[in-house]
Amino acid sequence: MAARLPLAACIVAFHLCLLLLPSSSLRRLSEAETAEVRHGVGIRPAYHFLPAKNWQNDPNGPMYHNGVYHLFYQYNPLGATWGSGNLSWGHSVSRDLVNWAALDIALDPTAPFDHNGCWSGSTTILPGGMPALMYTGRIDNAKVQVQNVAFPRNPADPLLRDWVKPAYNPVISLPADVPGEYFRDPTTAWVGRDSMWRMAIAAKVGGPNGIASTLIYRSKDFRHWKRNDLPLYTSRAASMVECPDLFPVAEPGTEEGRLGYASGTASGAMRHVLKLSVTNMTQDYYAIGRYDDVADTFVPEVDGERSVEDCRTWRRFDYGHVYASKSFFDTRKNRRVLWAWASESDSQYDDLARGWSGVQIVPRKVWLDGDGKQLRQWPIEEIETLRRKRVAALQEAHVNAGGVNEISGAGAQTDVDAIFEIPSLEEAETFEPNWLLDPQKLCEEKGACVPGGVGPFGLLVMASGDLREHTAVFFRVFRHNRKYKVLMCTDLTRSTGRDKVYKAPYGGFVDIDIEQHQRSISLRTLIDHSVVESFGGGGRTCITARVYPVHAENNNSHVFLFNNGTGIVKVSRLEAWTLATAAVNVVHGG
Ligand SMILES: *[C@@H]1O[C@H](CO)[C@@H](O)[C@H](O)[C@H]1NC(C)=O
Ligand SMILES: *[C@@H]1O[C@H](CO)[C@@H](O)[C@H](O)[C@H]1NC(C)=O
Ligand SMILES: *[C@@H]1O[C@H](CO)[C@@H](O)[C@H](O)[C@H]1NC(C)=O
Ligand SMILES: *[C@@H]1O[C@H](CO)[C@@H](O)[C@H](O)[C@H]1NC(C)=O
């Protein structure tokens, strides 16, 4: 992923530039500054994926192979900061996508064709079952990017511990019309009707002010690659995209399209999803559309205010704090599974003091919604094996206007699944059309503490007992053209008493007809210390936030239901469980 320019740290910390000092000063914290830093007590996630220590960013090359799940990830083995030139592929394995064992680093930047970093890429399983890693290497002081391949030294090793980079690398050199630092992140390859391999690579084409493109390369033998004349897709509006992901989805109600690219050719009956990570916004966007498997082009099918040309108007997997997502087809359960990086949103000082930075979201199952217009996402079912104590099971409860009800027993490691029912939509506020383009701004203007008609209602999580600190995850329903528009927000305004923490407003619309849904809407939230992952409307709108409450150090977090609208909100169903700590890259003595 990510070109980390001189302002690298800013991208990583999401616009927190003011907080970040040049890296030369990072080793010289004053005592006072050090004392300010929280050391991560109560903050380290208990079931999200992260290495035992140090920095991680993009998920790389996820796959299921010979009974084992593999996750590779961008890893700096030397510390808790990005460390562009030292980036390696960390490697962990799992049987259930929940508990993970750390293996040795799979790729480190030691070859002439990657000695300035082994950057992001994907795995492809070749005929006969041989996995191949395709990744971006940075080769020289100009940090020119090329694409390399690596294979397991011993394909019979069930854990694929040892990887070999053939001396014939790079397999794809920098094209003449692409600036050196803008050519990266190969996808999983697939086979076309002509029996040739194809893969997509992100590039800025046509000089420093070029066009954000996703190029297609073709090969007979996975070693000699040739670029197609036409790109898969270009977006003039974005200056650079990275981490492309292209995958088929089954039409609603059919069994087709269940095979992932890695294992089969595309059939005309499927539609496809193209996801692009827009570099300068650190946000992922996707469109559902048509992939032409002869021309290798993708045409998005957009609706409403979205545009074909500008990928920044597309839908998002997650309207919160995630980036550089990557999916894989899980042949064990015939499902597509999505990973994505959720970086820290406090300062680099904090990362250094804690000794770690960055988590992956809980893997999500992804499928095409029955409306054919949007994807739905849901935490993989395996996460439910961590459920321990069922702390709440309510039916037909009420949250009165202005009310707050505690879900007692729920805390910093909790899974909450609720359905809210709105007895009357009469009081819904009127929607203004200019809000359509910027749900995030609307969430900023109408946060949890701005009383409304129907909503805000939802959850207060990672809350101190006195509610001084809390993160609000909520819905608000507006009246719009004789219909209703549902907004979902995660409001961090009161998430922590600490300063120097980035508290963005996060929000997206939930694309459902709430009247057709019995005036009901569901909310599932996975709470994990500093991670709050929420799935609104059955996974139609997802928001992940990173939070750093001070009270968390005392292991004393609470969860509440709240309603700041003018009418009653019914909770037609509510279940909540405490979640156990997963074994995630735990270091055992040998
Ligand atoms: C990479 O690691 C070396 C130490 O081996 C260090 O001197 C250098 O600053 C690191 N580079 C980056 C970009 O972090
Ligand atoms: C990102 O780049 C595009 C195209 O150059 C530009 O229009 C846009 O303002 C940039 N956005 C940010 C947040 O820098
Ligand atoms: C609900 O609104 C009142 C009035 O603005 C405010 O004092 C209270 O903090 C709000 N509740 C939440 C959870 O924001
Ligand atoms: C909170 O829990 C953590 C991890 O279980 C433990 O290390 C820490 O001592 C606890 N803190 C308090 C104040 O109980």
Side-chain angles (χ1 to χ4, degrees), residues 352-528:
L352 288 168
R354 283 194 290 260
W356 55 272
S357 177
V359 310
Q360 306 294 336
I361 58 168
V362 166
R364 298 175 184 173
K365 182 180 159 177
V366 179
W367 72 99
L368 184 59
D369 184 35
D371 71 4
K373 292 190 302 189
Q374 59 186 326
L375 294 178
R376 289 174 64 184
Q377 302 167 67
W378 202 245
I380 50 156
E381 61 193 0
E382 289 88 334
I383 205 72
E384 294 165 27
T385 61
L386 295 176
R387 287 175 176 172
R388 290 296 177 269
K389 200 167 150 208
R390 189 152 113 152
V391 292
L394 290 180
Q395 267 178 333
E396 304 297 326
H398 290 101
V399 195
N400 292 325
V404 171
N405 303 359
E406 178 157 14
I407 303 173
S408 64
Q413 281 176 230
T414 300
D415 180 352
V416 187
D417 196 4
I419 298 177
F420 297 95
E421 188 185 324
I422 302 140
S424 163
L425 291 166
E426 277 299 299
E427 303 287 328
E429 301 159 76
T430 304
F431 189 79
E432 290 174 22
N434 65 329
W435 289 341
L436 265 180
L437 286 171
D438 204 346
Q440 192 150 330
K441 184 149 170 271
L442 185 52
C443 286
E444 183 171 26
E445 284 167 15
K446 291 182 177 283
C449 66
V450 179
V454 179
F457 62 85
L459 298 171
L460 305 177
V461 304
M462 288 305 288
S464 55
D466 61 6
L467 278 177
R468 205 170 299 184
E469 285 183 324
H470 64 256
T471 296
V473 185
F474 64 87
F475 301 110
R476 200 184 269 271
V477 183
F478 297 92
R479 188 189 306 275
H480 180 48
N481 292 342
R482 299 184 171 193
K483 293 240 177 210
Y484 295 91
K485 191 105 191 142
V486 181
L487 177 73
M488 174 175 168
C489 307
T490 294
D491 179 348
L492 304 188
T493 318
R494 294 195 262 177
S495 61
T496 178
R498 283 172 53 190
D499 56 6
K500 298 187 178 175
V501 174
Y502 179 57
K503 297 180 193 172
Y506 296 124
F509 295 108
V510 189
D511 198 346
I512 59 165
D513 183 336
I514 196 160
E515 283 176 296
Q516 294 282 311
H517 280 78
Q518 286 81 42
R519 299 185 313 281
S520 290
I521 187 157
S522 68
L523 176 62
R524 170 127 181 241
T525 296
L526 296 175
I527 304 158
D528 189 8

Side-chain angles (χ1 to χ4, degrees), residues 37-275:
V37 164
R38 306 287 162 188
H39 289 267
V41 179
I43 292 300
R44 188 176 168 94
Y47 59 89
H48 280 79
F49 182 95
L50 74 174
K53 59 179 185 178
N54 296 332
W55 167 274
Q56 80 168 331
N57 51 297
D58 308 1
N60 291 156
M63 67 171 163
Y64 179 69
H65 186 61
N66 290 345
V68 178
Y69 290 103
H70 295 255
L71 180 65
F72 306 88
Y73 52 93
Q74 289 286 284
Y75 180 59
N76 179 3
L78 298 172
T81 55
W82 180 53
S84 54
N86 294 319
L87 282 176
S88 306
W89 278 40
H91 185 193
S92 294
V93 288
S94 172
R95 294 219 179 257
D96 60 4
L97 289 170
V98 174
N99 298 287
W100 292 90
L103 302 179
D104 286 347
I105 287 172
L107 301 173
D108 52 11
T110 49
F113 45 80
D114 65 16
H115 72 253
N116 263 306
C118 297
W119 281 21
S120 287
S122 305
T123 50
T124 301
I125 297 172
L126 303 182
M130 171 73 99
L133 306 183
M134 188 69 78
Y135 70 99
T136 299
R138 297 202 315 165
I139 54 174
D140 52 18
N141 289 337
K143 313 219 162 51
V144 163
Q145 298 173 359
V146 298
Q147 316 310 325
N148 302 315
V149 70
F151 299 101
R153 186 181 302 278
N154 173 13
D157 171 11
L159 302 183
L160 304 173
R161 274 168 283 212
D162 199 2
W163 293 83
V164 183
K165 309 169 195 166
Y168 60 69
N169 276 309
V171 290
I172 305 179
S173 310
L174 183 73
D177 57 348
V178 174
E181 288 191 63
Y182 297 96
F183 183 53
R184 57 180 175 268
D185 306 341
T187 62
T188 295
W190 67 97
V191 178
R193 291 192 209 181
D194 56 5
S195 303
M196 306 248 314
W197 287 106
R198 287 140 164 85
M199 68 181 172
I201 301 174
K204 184 192 282 221
V205 175
N209 300 315
I211 297 171
S213 300
T214 305
L215 306 177
I216 296 282
Y217 280 78
R218 283 195 288 170
S219 172
K220 269 197 168 60
D221 57 5
F222 222 79
R223 173 169 171 182
H224 301 92
W225 294 86
K226 190 167 176 295
R227 176 173 154 192
N228 279 6
D229 290 340
L230 281 180
L232 177 71
Y233 174 80
T234 56
S235 185
R236 284 167 196 283
S239 62
M240 177 65 184
V241 295
E242 48 194 353
C243 304
D245 197 10
L246 177 72
F247 57 88
V249 281
E251 294 291 353
T254 73
E255 283 296 294
E256 289 199 276
R258 294 199 311 152
L259 288 179
Y261 262 134
S263 35
T265 54
S267 116
M270 305 171 192
R271 277 189 291 164
H272 283 75
V273 174
L274 176 64
K275 183 277 300 188

Side-chain angles (χ1 to χ4, degrees), residues 41 553-555:
V41 179
E553 288 179 31
N554 303 317
N555 300 339

